[in-house]
């Protein structure tokens, strides 16, 4: 084994790439849960986004259009979830599971003609000046556009939730939907919006896996990333800032175990591969903090 | 203007009708999907739902029905208790794998001693224990630290999956297997083989266990105080707490029960139809069982029927794959759709649809 083969700078740089899909999906789910809805279908929306991303980018030859298509795919799937849980008042846990099972089948069907095709390259954006910084430049400023978009979205969601009136209303709906309804806020409409934002984000996250990280389509390629995103929302205590920390923590474990595999550590590959999932459980147990939104997962029906 | 009005009590008629309606809608929409894929829709539906039972080669497929339905029914019966009580174990797939590993591990430890009276019962116990212990991880974490059991049980599916790979390549690998991955084939080890009890019926010990589980669950739910507590905990956690039902104990019992049954199902599968510990051992029964549990209305007898129906879609799906070149994923989509439509139709059980203008509030 040769641990010196692992370059710490490269490790940190790839950490940012590895955590981006989870970060995007978790950010969407955070907004959904802040609105009081528990959507367990993140995995299904991510994998559908991954398939849509490949399809749209291959057909158009443009990676950005692939991402747009993936966001649309995730959004449409989440719209189904919204109709079921908000209009037909179905159980959110069961519906989320159904969405995941459905999404896994749907993506396999959509993607079957695209197995093995290489999506168009997604160019890196070297940020001028900053990318020439000695250490930080290599770690943080030589990535592709989606990495920066993810970071920008974290800041935007933080600003929206804590500094705007609309964000306050969304949180009110999530904390106590009956009170929000009594105040005249359109609970169902706001939740529709939140759910669809979550779907689009999950789609983007999935597409980042199939267009940048791998980059190729294989069935079931998200391999639980959607569930880890759900776990990171809990770990983050429903706060965008901590979400970033959680995603980087997870990305770190993933990248580290991949590097250890490559370096030929004496532990069998299977045990290294399970480490991100074990780490997620440990993090959930040890570090989870914060109070969940008051109406999380409850069905809202304005009875009169 | 369409509005929903809560029924004073859930409608009995609709609770029976909605699964049937969901299956019918799924057939229609599924047919449309098949048509969109360029396959003859009516023929595809007939291949999936009719041919395995009454087609030309039904004699071959009917026994398969029991083989496929048994693990689904075993797992779903266990899950239904938790789902009723609001304990969401969605990691049955992992518990199923661990049951298989424990069961096969015991058998391989005894190899080549022949002592069926000792080894096979020991395997059943070990398999059950394997699934139970794996389910206790989310249970204990939830009770002790308040960790979300949905996420932990699901994470453990991936861990179990990698553990299966590691075992098939490492500890449990067949030393005489010429370097191929996979354990010894338990079908060739009489003391451990979960063989067909009557030739060409598909009836093995797992099927019998599934029937027993259904009967026991029925009695527990309708005649025993535990079943009453489970229903109470699900419908009104506060009332249950006042009635002295310990929420923590409920979590542990529900997870233990579902994990144990899933582990048992995994053990019967690895010792019988599958035969080997191999990376491709698990085919998603643990997840399909979730659909079975809901489709069966979380009721033991309903689960029995739903398990048979889902088994039929597996077998019919394979048949459609062969005869019509229908992609495997289309069946997966079909199964997912079924749960979707069921949840959608289910609104009628608890609500009444009112047409017409809203009155003045």
């Amino acid at each position: 084994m040769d641990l010196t083969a692992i370059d710490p700078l490269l490790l940190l740089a790839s950490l940012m790439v590895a955590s981006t899909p989870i970060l995007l999906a978790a950010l969407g789910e955070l907004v959904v849960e802040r609105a009081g809805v528990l959507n367990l279908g993140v995995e299904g929306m991510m994998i559908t986004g991954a398939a849509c991303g490949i399809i749209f980018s291959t057909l158009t030859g443009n990676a950005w259009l692939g991402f747009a298509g993936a966001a649309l795919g995730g959004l449409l799937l989440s719209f189904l979830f919204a109709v079921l849980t908000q209009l037909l008042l179905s159980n959110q846990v069961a519906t989320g599971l159904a969405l995941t099972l459905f999404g896994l089948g749907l993506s396999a069907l959509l993607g079957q003609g695209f197995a093995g095709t290489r999506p168009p390259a997604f160019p890196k954006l070297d940020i001028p000046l900053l990318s020439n910084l000695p250490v930080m430049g290599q770690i943080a400023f030589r990535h592709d556009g989606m990495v920066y978009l993810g970071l920008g979205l974290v800041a935007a969601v933080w600003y929206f939730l804590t500094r705007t009136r609309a964000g306050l209303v969304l949180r009110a709906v999530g904390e106590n939907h009956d009170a929000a309804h009594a105040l005249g806020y359109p609970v169902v409409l706001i939740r529709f919006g939140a759910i669809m934002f979550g779907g689009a984000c999950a789609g983007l996250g999935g597409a980042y896996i199939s267009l940048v990280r791998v980059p190729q389509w294989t069935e079931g390629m998200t391999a639980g990333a959607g569930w880890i995103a759900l776990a990171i929302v809990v770990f983050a205590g429903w706060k965008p800032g901590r979400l970033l920390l959680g995603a980087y923590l997870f990305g770190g474990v993933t990248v580290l175990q991949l590097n250890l595999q490559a370096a030929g550590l004496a532990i069998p590959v299977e045990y290294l591969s399970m480490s991100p999932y074990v780490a997620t459980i440990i993090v959930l147990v040890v570090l989870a903090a914060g109070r969940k939104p008051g109406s999380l997962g409850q069905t809202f029906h304005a009875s009169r | 203007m369409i509005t929903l009005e809560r029924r004073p009590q859930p409608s009995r008629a609709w609770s029976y009708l909605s699964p049937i309606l969901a299956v019918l809608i799924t057939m229609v929409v599924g047919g449309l999907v098949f048509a969109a894929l360029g396959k003859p829709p009516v023929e595809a539906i007939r291949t999936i739902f009719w041919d395995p039972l009454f087609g030309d080669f039904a004699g071959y497929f009917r026994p398969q029905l029991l083989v496929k339905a048994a693990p689904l029914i075993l797992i779903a019966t266990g899950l239904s208790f938790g789902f009723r009580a609001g304990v969401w174990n969605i990691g049955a797939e992992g518990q199923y794998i661990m049951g298989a590993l424990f069961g096969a591990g015991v058998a391989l430890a005894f190899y080549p001693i022949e002592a069926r009276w000792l080894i096979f019962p020991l395997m059943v116990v070990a398999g059950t224990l394997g699934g139970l212990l794996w389910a206790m991880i989310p249970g204990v974490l939830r009770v002790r630290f308040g960790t979300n059991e949905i996420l932990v049980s699901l994470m453990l599916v991936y861990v179990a999956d990698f553990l299966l790979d590691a075992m098939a390549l490492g500890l449990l690998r067949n030393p005489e297997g010429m370097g191929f991955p996979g354990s010894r084939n338990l079908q060739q080890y009489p003391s451990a083989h979960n063989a067909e009890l009557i030739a060409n019926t598909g009836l093995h010990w797992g099927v019998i266990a599934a029937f027993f589980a259904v009967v026991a669950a029925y009695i527990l739910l309708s005649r025993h105080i535990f079943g009453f507590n489970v229903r109470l905990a699900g419908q009104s956690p506060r009332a249950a707490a006042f009635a002295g039902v310990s929420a923590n104990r409920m979590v542990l019992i529900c997870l233990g029960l579902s994990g144990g049954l899933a582990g048992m199902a995994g053990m019967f599968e690895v010792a019988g139809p599958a035969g080997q510990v191999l990376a491709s051992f698990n085919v998603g029964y643990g997840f399909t069982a979730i659909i079975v549990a809901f489709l069966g209305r979380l009721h033991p007898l309903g689960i029995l029927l739903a398990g048979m129906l889902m088994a039929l879609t597996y077998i019919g799906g394979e048949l459609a794959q062969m005869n019509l070149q229908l992609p495997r994923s289309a069946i997966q989509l079909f199964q997912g759709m079924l749960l979707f439509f069921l949840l959608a139709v289910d609104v009628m059980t608890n609500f009444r649809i009112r047409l017409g203008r809203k009155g003045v509030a």
Side-chain angles (χ1 to χ4, degrees):
Chain A
M1 189 185 79
D2 185 15
L3 280 182
T4 50
I6 300 176
D7 178 1
L9 287 187
L10 218 59
L11 195 76
L12 287 173
S14 50
L15 178 155
M16 287 185 70
V17 175
S19 52
T20 297
I22 309 276
L23 181 66
L24 284 167
L27 195 65
E29 180 66 16
L30 182 130
V31 173
V32 178
E33 294 194 13
R34 265 314 198 36
V37 180
L38 182 64
N39 185 353
L40 292 182
V42 181
E43 177 80 5
M45 300 186 296
M46 273 186 99
I47 190 82
T48 306
C52 290
I54 281 280
I55 294 170
F56 279 89
S57 65
T58 311
L59 294 183
T60 60
N62 182 328
W64 282 109
L65 287 177
F67 278 111
L72 186 71
L75 186 138
L76 286 177
L77 217 53
S78 68
F79 182 75
L80 273 179
F81 176 87
V83 169
L84 253 71
T85 55
Q86 303 306 308
L87 297 182
L88 298 177
L89 308 175
S90 65
N91 179 306
Q92 291 177 11
V93 174
T95 313
L97 288 174
L99 196 69
T100 290
L101 296 173
F102 179 77
L104 286 171
L106 181 70
S107 63
L109 196 61
L110 290 174
Q112 60 173 342
F114 292 85
T117 50
R118 241 189 121 71
F122 192 52
K124 290 205 171 155
L125 294 175
D126 284 1
I127 296 181
L129 292 178
L130 286 176
S131 62
N132 295 329
L133 287 175
V135 176
M136 278 310 285
Q138 195 185 352
I139 296 174
F141 298 113
R142 289 182 201 167
H143 293 295
D144 53 67
M146 287 305 286
V147 172
Y148 304 123
L149 186 73
L151 292 175
L153 265 179
V154 172
V157 165
W158 171 81
Y159 184 83
F160 170 77
L161 285 176
T162 56
R163 295 288 183 274
T164 65
R165 186 181 162 75
L168 186 66
V169 172
L170 183 130
R171 274 159 46 207
V173 166
E175 286 299 334
N176 188 336
H177 50 212
D178 289 319
H181 175 70
L183 286 171
Y185 294 120
V187 174
V188 170
L189 204 65
I190 289 167
R191 286 187 168 167
F192 253 85
I195 290 168
M196 281 154 72
F197 174 75
C201 283
L204 284 180
Y208 194 79
I209 296 179
S210 68
L211 293 183
V212 182
R213 278 222 70 196
V214 177
Q216 205 184 32
W217 166 254
T218 35
E219 256 181 56
M221 68 186 305
T222 47
W227 295 102
I228 290 172
L230 277 159
I232 285 175
V233 175
V234 177
F235 158 77
W238 293 269
K239 291 189 174 68
R242 265 182 74 109
L243 196 73
L244 199 61
L245 186 70
Y248 280 174
L249 202 69
F250 171 81
V253 174
T254 308
V255 169
L256 191 65
Q257 64 96 0
L258 284 174
N259 274 283
L260 288 176
Q261 279 186 24
L265 194 68
I267 302 172
V269 174
E270 293 79 19
Y271 295 102
L272 286 173
S273 306
M274 66 175 77
S275 58
Y277 306 100
V278 175
T280 307
I281 295 176
I282 293 172
V283 160
L284 268 183
V285 172
V286 179
L287 294 174
R291 197 182 55 81
K292 65 178 184 185
S295 293
L296 185 64
Q298 290 168 18
T299 302
F300 171 72
H301 179 234
S303 47
R304 68 194 72 98
Chain B
M1 187 65 202
I2 303 167
T3 49
L4 291 173
E5 187 183 285
R6 191 179 284 279
R7 292 179 195 272
Q9 275 153 346
S11 157
R12 253 188 118 71
W14 270 106
S15 82
Y16 290 119
L17 212 60
S18 60
I20 299 169
L21 199 60
V23 170
L24 289 178
I25 299 176
T26 309
M27 281 188 189
V28 172
V29 178
L32 291 176
V33 172
F34 298 151
L37 289 169
K39 312 286 178 198
V42 177
E43 202 184 330
I45 297 290
R46 201 201 63 215
T47 311
I48 295 170
F49 288 99
W50 182 265
D51 285 358
L53 293 176
F54 309 106
D56 293 336
F57 303 102
Y60 170 75
F61 290 115
R62 272 186 221 147
Q64 282 293 311
L65 199 63
L66 285 184
V67 172
K68 293 261 196 304
L72 290 175
I73 294 170
L74 257 181
I75 302 171
T77 307
L79 290 178
S80 67
F81 282 93
F83 289 176
R84 271 178 190 262
V87 181
W88 299 96
N89 173 14
I90 57 171
E93 183 80 1
Q95 294 138 22
Y96 173 81
I97 293 174
M98 291 313 281
L101 287 180
F102 271 57
V106 165
L108 294 169
F110 277 101
Y111 186 86
I113 303 166
E114 292 292 351
R116 187 166 176 83
W117 57 272
L118 172 70
I119 295 174
F120 195 68
L122 216 57
M123 284 166 68
V124 178
V125 173
T128 311
L129 208 64
L132 189 138
L133 289 176
W134 205 243
M136 274 302 116
I137 300 174
V140 169
L141 293 182
R142 155 106 186 243
V143 169
R144 184 75 185 70
F145 301 102
T147 317
N148 185 321
E149 83 278 12
I150 300 177
L151 295 171
V152 175
S153 65
L154 199 105
M155 289 294 139
L156 287 173
V157 173
Y158 293 95
V159 176
D161 211 13
F162 282 118
L163 212 56
L164 174 72
D165 293 355
M167 288 296 150
L169 290 169
L171 190 61
L172 297 182
R173 178 192 260 186
N174 183 359
E176 293 153 22
M178 321 226 268
F180 283 106
S183 71
R184 284 177 199 281
N185 197 325
L186 297 178
Q187 290 170 350
Q188 286 150 16
Y189 178 25
S191 292
H193 185 196
N194 173 27
E196 270 190 334
L197 296 171
I198 305 168
N200 297 323
T201 53
L203 186 75
H204 61 68
W205 281 108
V207 180
I208 295 177
F211 277 111
F212 263 106
V214 167
V215 174
Y218 182 80
I219 295 171
L220 263 183
L221 275 177
S222 61
R223 294 283 178 272
H224 196 273
I225 183 73
F226 170 68
F228 177 75
N229 287 344
V230 164
R231 291 186 342 222
L232 187 63
Q235 283 168 9
S236 174
R238 247 174 86 78
F242 281 122
V245 179
S246 157
N248 282 345
R249 195 185 297 159
M250 191 55 84
V251 169
L252 290 179
I253 292 178
C254 285
L255 278 167
L257 200 64
S258 52
L261 286 179
M264 197 194 278
M267 175 268 147
F268 283 125
E269 190 72 13
V270 79
Q276 269 184 305
V277 172
L278 206 60
S280 59
F281 164 71
N282 57 317
V283 291
Y285 284 150
F287 292 114
T288 312
I290 297 171
I291 306 180
V292 170
F294 280 111
L295 192 64
R297 315 265 65 188
L298 306 180
H299 186 284
L301 298 179
I303 287 171
L304 188 70
L305 295 174
M308 294 294 222
L309 185 77
M310 287 312 262
L312 190 62
T313 63
Y314 268 111
I315 298 162
E318 278 171 24
L319 197 61
Q321 234 174 302
M322 276 190 303
N323 294 351
L324 302 170
Q325 282 76 49
L326 200 70
R328 192 177 54 86
S329 46
I331 300 301
Q332 213 181 341
L333 181 75
F334 198 81
Q335 293 176 343
M337 233 156 46
L338 186 55
L339 184 51
F340 248 142
F341 285 125
L342 178 74
L343 292 166
V345 177
D346 226 18
V347 71
M348 300 303 297
T349 309
N350 292 313
F351 293 90
R352 198 175 307 197
I353 288 179
R354 279 285 150 109
L355 297 169
R357 290 182 58 82
K358 265 191 245 181
V360 180

